[in-house]
């Protein structure tokens, strides 16, 4: 009898929530920025690093638009976007350790192949450490 009560308690949430609400994000489909250690740079020396964004567990991640924003870059560095790749480059003019946060938002997909188009999240961010020496 106890087993029946336990099983009933386990299935009560399914009765009150649709399956979409409970199970949609068990395997999360959301944007992701790669893990990366930025190389150490030096003032008055050209600096370059790039990284890619993707939508994990989404085979159609090429069918989305990607929008980036970056905060925390030292003076002299800027960022440039080429579809899913963001490049940080320039000649830094200040020394220090910088917390650079990259934000990415996605929109789409723009190809209608009848697949489920819902993502668990449409944006993410990641903070990287950038060290500039003299």
């Amino acid at each position: 009898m106890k087993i029946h009560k336990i099983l009933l308690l386990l299935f009560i949430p399914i009765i009150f929530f649709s399956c979409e609400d409970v199970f949609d994000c068990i395997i999360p489909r959301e944007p992701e920025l790669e893990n990366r250690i930025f190389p150490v740079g030096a003032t008055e020396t050209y600096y370059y690093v790039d990284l890619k964004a993707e939508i994990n567990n989404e085979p159609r991640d090429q069918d989305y638009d990607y929008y980036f924003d970056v905060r925390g870059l030292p003076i002299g560095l800027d960022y440039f976007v080429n579809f899913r790749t963001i490049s940080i480059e320039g000649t830094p003019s200040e020394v220090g350790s910088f917390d650079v946060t990259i934000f990415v938002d996605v929109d789409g997909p723009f190809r209608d192949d009848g697949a489920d188009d819902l993502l668990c999240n449409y944006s993410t961010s990641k903070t990287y450490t950038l060290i500039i020496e003299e």
Side-chain angles (χ1 to χ4, degrees):
M1 186 68 161
K2 271 187 164 179
I3 293 176
H4 293 280
K5 289 181 183 179
I6 292 173
L7 289 175
L8 181 62
L9 288 174
L10 290 174
F11 289 107
I12 285 177
I14 295 173
I15 295 169
F16 290 108
F17 300 105
S18 73
C19 288
E20 290 177 7
D21 294 333
V22 175
F23 298 111
D24 269 351
C25 290
I26 290 174
I27 300 174
R29 292 185 340 173
E30 56 195 358
E32 180 177 71
L33 290 161
E34 66 181 285
N35 292 326
R36 191 76 181 274
I37 296 175
F38 283 15
V40 175
T43 57
E44 307 306 321
T45 303
Y46 185 76
Y47 183 87
Y48 178 85
V49 66
D50 63 3
L51 48 106
K52 291 185 179 183
E54 66 179 7
I55 301 173
N56 60 3
N57 302 310
E58 171 58 282
R60 301 170 301 159
D61 61 352
Q62 297 277 50
D63 295 337
Y64 288 76
D65 282 337
Y66 291 75
Y67 303 97
F68 293 91
D69 190 25
V70 178
R71 297 191 187 134
L73 288 175
I75 295 172
L77 293 184
D78 203 353
Y79 71 95
F80 303 92
V81 175
N82 182 9
F83 185 48
R84 291 175 23 187
T85 301
I86 183 166
S87 302
I88 297 172
E89 58 185 280
T91 305
S93 60
E94 59 182 321
V95 174
S97 178
F98 302 89
D99 290 330
V100 177
T101 303
I102 299 176
F103 301 87
V104 63
D105 295 300
V106 296
D107 189 19
F110 295 105
R111 180 176 48 146
D112 185 14
D113 60 2
D116 183 16
D117 293 341
L118 298 177
L119 299 180
C120 297
N121 293 304
Y122 285 82
S123 62
T124 192
S125 66
K126 189 173 278 191
T127 300
Y128 301 89
T129 300
L130 171 58
I131 298 172
I132 303 296
E133 299 174 339
E134 277 193 66

